[in-house]
Amino acid sequence: MKVIIASDHAGYALKERLKTVFQNVMEFEDGGTFSEESVDYPDFAHPLSEKVAKQEFPFGILICGTGNGMAMCANKHRDIRAGLCWNADIARLVRQHNNANILVMPARFIPEETAVEIMHAFFETDFEGGRHQRRIDKINI
Ligand code: RB5
């Protein structure tokens, strides 16, 4: 599976670590940023979200300091369901119940080990459908 990943400067180090840890499990398209120089998170969240919304990639991963800026940008896009995850249980539920197609993580608030657990939980969990499909059908405006 090929996924797209992007971060701002606050998420850069975690993005690079996750690409290394999961290099044998999935392929990554790197949407930047490419250093710890200060950048603006919308410049990375919007292009990634457009590509996921157009189904160029099944899933995206966005990382910034708190995760909130990235999630706010991503969720402006029709058909994007970006979930901010800070532990593996939330990551599992955002797939089971919300069919999230973008995983958002707060690099300044979770240890790397937790981010790895979140990645496993998110990518190893399927959407449950049923009553949850009815609910997500009501998200787009
Ligand atoms: C950058 O300092 C920080 O504001 C950003 O990474 C993110 O936390 C915004 O939501």
Side-chain angles (χ1 to χ4, degrees):
M1 176 172 51
K2 187 169 186 182
V3 304
I4 182 163
I5 188 167
S7 73
D8 70 356
H9 53 288
Y12 170 73
L14 181 58
K15 170 170 72 70
E16 294 306 303
R17 272 302 291 156
L18 292 174
K19 278 166 45 189
T20 302
V21 172
F22 287 88
Q23 64 185 341
N24 296 327
V25 181
M26 58 182 74
E27 207 181 330
F28 292 99
E29 167 97 1
D30 193 336
T33 189
F34 298 105
S35 76
E36 289 187 334
E37 189 183 331
S38 183
V39 290
D40 299 336
Y41 57 82
D43 295 339
F44 299 87
H46 287 308
L48 180 145
S49 302
E50 267 176 40
K51 288 177 182 157
V52 175
K54 284 190 203 153
Q55 299 186 342
E56 287 176 32
F57 298 91
F59 295 106
I61 302 163
L62 286 169
I63 308 169
C64 67
T66 64
N68 273 316
M70 290 296 200
M72 287 177 191
C73 295
N75 280 318
K76 295 285 181 197
H77 294 254
R78 190 173 179 81
D79 297 328
I80 289 299
R81 293 173 302 280
L84 175 56
C85 297
W86 57 93
N87 67 38
D89 289 335
I90 300 281
R92 221 167 275 120
L93 285 165
V94 85
R95 288 288 308 125
Q96 288 174 340
H97 289 192
N98 311 110
N99 199 14
N101 48 14
I102 295 186
L103 165 62
V104 188
M105 286 181 281
R108 288 182 174 152
F109 294 88
I110 55 171
E112 179 189 311
E113 176 191 322
T114 301
V116 170
E117 289 169 8
I118 289 170
M119 287 277 290
H120 278 294
F122 188 90
F123 287 103
E124 289 163 16
T125 304
D126 292 326
F127 178 48
E128 280 181 359
R131 68 188 188 282
H132 301 297
Q133 183 63 53
R134 185 180 71 239
R135 292 165 186 165
I136 69 168
D137 285 344
K138 296 179 179 181
I139 292 177
N140 276 335
I141 52 168

